Amino acid sequence: MSDAGVLHIKGRVLVGPEDVRDELWVVDGRVAFDRPTGGDVRTVTGWVLPGLVDAHCHVGLDAHGAVDEATSEKQALTDRDAGTLLIRDAGSAADTRWIDDREDLPRIIRAGRHIARTRRYIRNYAHEIEPGDLPAYVRAEARRGDGWVKLVGDWIDRDRGDLAACWPGDALAEAIAAAHQEGARVTAHCFAAESLPDLLAAGIDCVEHATGLTEELIPQFAERGVAIVPTLVNIATFPKLAAGGEDRFPAWSAHMRRLHERRYDTVAAAHDAGIPVYVGTDAGGSLAHGLVAQEVAELVKAGLTAAEALSAASWAARAWLGRDGLTEGASADLVVYAEDPRADVRVLADPRLVVLRGRPVG
């Protein structure tokens, strides 16, 4: 805030689950815990969290594919004003690198473009390829992205009439090894259980949605430290999707309903087993942006404590993605609330102040 003096925030600064300070200052865009000397000071009171994280979001994408820059900007601003200041963009057909030059827009960690099996995903979203090409495409997207690659692990097989795995195990093993050689982690869209064993064997780092987790698979995820991003606000749409496909694909519709019915139990069992769980909304396809507070509340419904759900959207999520929180000298990316979000996570829906790169925004 070099052009606007010093911002002084008093109240409860939630540096971490067990680390709570009485105040912080924003000086030249950076976090400081010691009182600075000189300069105009603006004081704000409230409860402070690091800028929230949406670990499954699609800036630059709508239900039909890539969108123009004006639409991408609106999406990013909506997320920002909801307190989301760090996004893991889990696949986009649009080039959003220009956002990196905008100090008023959230930081984005990109996974490049989705990689899907031919005719086995949403039209205009992904590279649609066959298994023999998977390692080369994964390596290319690893080089294009920001340390992540996104696979489509399963989707409806219209001949079968139900969800089915998209890739054979040998292709996955070679592809994920290629990503790791490039220094990238790999995540995969997965609804059903069928695709998960091969992904685990191949060394997958994260699974999106993960509605197909079973009692047999959960211990394996926990042992290997494979994270999940449940996107429960997206899973809430399954009954509507199932109703729309009832006539043509009754087995798929019934499967989607079962996954929806046990969604909270699945997340609770995963969390209880020690699987890392992070907040993601799946905004940008058919879902609106700015839903991070709703997703945190969904995790509480699934059995996480308020502090655990907050961590999944802030402290733990930032550490998982390798980004700073509220540490001395870090970029001041933070959100101020009028009440304690640890007492009621619904407070997240009403930020008092959003500060990005040290500047109040929104």
Side-chain angles (χ1 to χ4, degrees):
M1 293 190 63
S2 58
D3 61 345
V6 174
L7 178 63
H8 177 210
I9 304 177
K10 296 177 61 177
R12 303 270 79 187
V13 180
L14 306 178
V15 175
E18 306 298 333
D19 185 357
V20 183
R21 315 284 180 92
D22 293 328
E23 54 191 346
L24 69 70
W25 286 264
V26 177
V27 183
D28 293 329
R30 300 284 170 178
V31 172
F33 289 103
D34 293 326
R35 183 186 298 273
T37 58
D40 296 330
V41 178
R42 173 191 173 192
T43 299
V44 176
T45 60
W47 280 259
V48 184
L49 279 172
L52 300 181
V53 177
D54 188 338
H56 186 130
C57 188
H58 303 282
V59 174
L61 198 65
D62 70 7
H64 305 289
V67 297
D68 59 21
E69 290 190 2
T71 304
S72 297
E73 178 188 44
K74 184 177 180 180
Q75 293 173 341
L77 288 170
T78 300
D79 286 320
R80 182 203 72 183
D81 292 347
T84 296
L85 303 185
L86 179 62
I87 290 169
R88 186 183 63 149
D89 194 322
S92 180
D95 180 359
T96 61
R97 287 289 175 190
W98 59 272
I99 289 177
D100 294 348
D101 298 325
R102 289 277 299 271
E103 293 195 351
D104 61 328
L105 297 181
R107 303 175 192 273
I108 299 183
I109 298 170
R110 297 170 183 82
R113 189 170 185 173
H114 300 77
I115 303 175
R117 190 76 178 261
T118 307
R119 297 177 61 83
R120 291 286 302 282
Y121 199 49
I122 303 167
R123 186 177 299 176
N124 300 324
Y125 272 37
H127 297 297
E128 296 192 16
I129 62 169
E130 288 303 296
D133 295 322
L134 185 61
Y137 272 82
V138 164
R139 191 177 293 278
E141 291 305 300
R143 293 173 178 174
R144 285 186 62 238
D146 298 316
W148 284 91
V149 176
K150 171 70 174 296
L151 304 180
V152 177
D154 67 18
W155 197 249
I156 188 171
D157 181 326
R158 289 169 176 79
D159 293 333
R160 181 192 290 190
D162 199 356
L163 295 167
C166 293
W167 311 103
D170 56 349
L172 286 171
E174 186 178 349
I176 292 174
H180 290 168
Q181 289 168 7
E182 297 293 334
R185 290 182 277 183
V186 182
T187 192
H189 160 108
C190 293
F191 286 158
E194 179 182 311
S195 60
L196 297 178
D198 281 344
L199 286 166
L200 278 173
I204 195 75
D205 301 286
C206 179
V207 169
E208 312 299 312
H209 319 301
T211 44
L213 279 175
T214 64
E215 291 182 3
E216 293 75 26
L217 289 168
I218 283 173
Q220 298 177 52
F221 268 66
E223 180 181 353
R224 296 168 187 250
V226 179
I228 65 169
V229 183
T231 67
L232 288 167
V233 291
N234 177 24
I235 307 311
T237 68
F238 278 17
K240 182 178 179 181
L241 295 175
E246 186 77 54
D247 291 341
R248 291 184 63 197
F249 305 112
W252 173 84
S253 294
H255 196 168
M256 296 292 279
R257 290 192 182 97
R258 291 195 302 273
L259 296 173
H260 174 264
E261 288 167 0
R262 62 182 179 89
R263 67 198 185 282
Y264 293 139
D265 291 340
T266 300
V267 173
H271 176 259
D272 290 346
I275 294 174
V277 177
Y278 299 107
V279 164
T281 66
D282 207 1
S286 58
L287 267 69
H289 285 256
L291 300 179
V292 66
Q294 291 184 36
E295 183 64 21
V296 173
E298 282 288 286
L299 289 184
V300 172
K301 288 182 182 178
L304 277 69
T305 66
E308 289 166 342
L310 289 173
S311 188
S314 59
W315 313 299
R318 283 181 168 271
W320 178 57
L321 293 173
R323 298 300 188 269
D324 289 332
L326 297 176
T327 57
E328 183 74 30
S331 176
D333 296 350
L334 57 90
V335 191
V336 183
Y337 301 95
E339 299 177 43
D340 187 351
R342 298 170 301 175
D344 185 348
V345 297
R346 291 176 296 180
V347 169
L348 298 184
D350 188 21
R352 170 175 280 181
L353 178 69
V354 178
V355 177
L356 176 60
R357 297 178 176 89
R359 302 173 185 275
V361 293

